[in-house]
Amino acid sequence: MADGIAVQPLKSRVSAEEWQTRVELAALYRLVALHGWDDMIFTHISARVPGPEHHFLINPYGWYFEEITASSLVKVDLDGNVVQDTTSFINPAGFTIHSAIHSARDDARFVIHLHTVAGVGVAAQAEGLLPIGQNACLLQHQVAYHGYEGLALNHDERERLVADLGDKPLMLLRNHGTLAVGQTAAAAWVGMFFLERACAQQVAALSGGRDHVLMAPDAAQAETKEQGRGIGFISALAWPGALRLLDRKSPGYDA
């Protein structure tokens, strides 16, 4: 309260569309934390705010993912300027990656970037994602690759990252981590879930050496590739359950 005037909650000061985007983005942060895929205060998930301004939301630097709420998310423009009243600030490396994708891909409303052990492990393997398990076969053809250039602080990298991503929804950033984009929070989440599972399965399978690991037969790979086109339908089924899981185990993200 300042000078006896109560400050209105953020929900009442933004559009209904922005608030819904904030709630869904906060849910993604909480889900990543719940699955143990966070990296302390590092890595990022972002969402473009509906409207012509191309503003996007990202985490306040210094907050753990399990703490993120709809109100705590920071709104920035494509130049990295904070465009809301807040004492929080953002991680410059997160801005570099996410601003590049949001400015180039209208369909990439939600962008998830992680540094998991399994994701970095596979991103560091020369062969990339292998058709070892069903998850990999479902999405192997949807995965792009981007070479490591150090901490993502150089804005010149944005053009190269976008070119490498192309129109694909998933990416392995070499020696760095995983990335998923989606028109919806559900699509981005399910894409990342499948990718992370595929990476964990590959690390497990290769832990005993490469020589005796079976690759899926070519015909099965081709069949699974076609079946993988239904992932959008799967994401719509899985997302409500993911939110119910949060309501039980990590409530308060929608505050």
Side-chain angles (χ1 to χ4, degrees), residues 18-212:
E18 177 176 335
W19 184 253
Q20 182 61 32
T21 300
R22 284 176 171 272
V23 170
E24 292 178 351
L25 180 56
L28 287 174
Y29 275 101
R30 295 290 189 95
L31 285 167
V32 166
L34 200 59
H35 282 75
W37 293 343
D38 47 346
D39 186 16
M40 202 166 67
I41 62 171
F42 308 105
T43 77
H44 323 277
I45 313 171
S46 63
R48 190 166 64 246
V49 177
E53 299 89 356
H54 272 78
H55 293 161
F56 67 94
L57 301 164
I58 200 165
N59 52 313
Y61 199 18
W63 287 50
Y64 277 65
F65 283 17
E66 66 184 16
E67 301 176 297
I68 298 294
T69 64
S71 298
S72 70
L73 293 161
V74 181
K75 183 162 60 174
V76 299
D77 63 21
L78 290 177
D79 294 318
N81 301 306
V82 176
V83 291
Q84 70 177 81
D85 292 331
T86 179
T87 58
S88 298
F89 57 99
I90 66 170
N91 183 337
F95 167 76
T96 300
I97 293 172
H98 292 258
S99 63
I101 297 171
H102 284 303
S103 64
R105 292 270 300 266
D106 285 340
D107 64 318
R109 288 191 58 233
F110 291 85
V111 181
I112 307 173
H113 170 48
L114 305 179
H115 297 160
T116 66
V117 174
V120 175
V122 173
Q125 295 175 9
E127 293 180 286
L129 190 64
L130 296 170
I132 288 174
Q134 183 165 276
N135 292 96
C137 292
L138 282 167
L139 51 77
Q140 186 184 33
H141 59 290
Q142 301 180 40
V143 179
Y145 294 84
H146 175 64
Y148 187 55
E149 300 187 23
L151 292 177
L153 298 174
N154 183 358
H155 288 186
D156 291 343
E157 185 180 354
R158 292 187 291 186
E159 183 176 344
R160 294 184 290 276
L161 187 149
V162 166
D164 288 339
L165 180 61
D167 61 356
K168 293 185 176 180
L170 303 169
M171 175 177 269
L172 285 173
L173 293 93
R174 293 296 195 178
N175 310 100
H176 186 173
T178 53
L179 185 141
V181 307
Q183 180 70 37
T184 64
W189 171 247
V190 169
M192 179 58 82
F193 183 87
F194 278 22
L195 179 57
E196 284 291 339
R197 289 297 286 268
C199 288
Q201 290 159 1
Q202 180 163 323
V203 170
L206 295 182
S207 64
R210 176 75 162 76
D211 291 344
H212 301 292

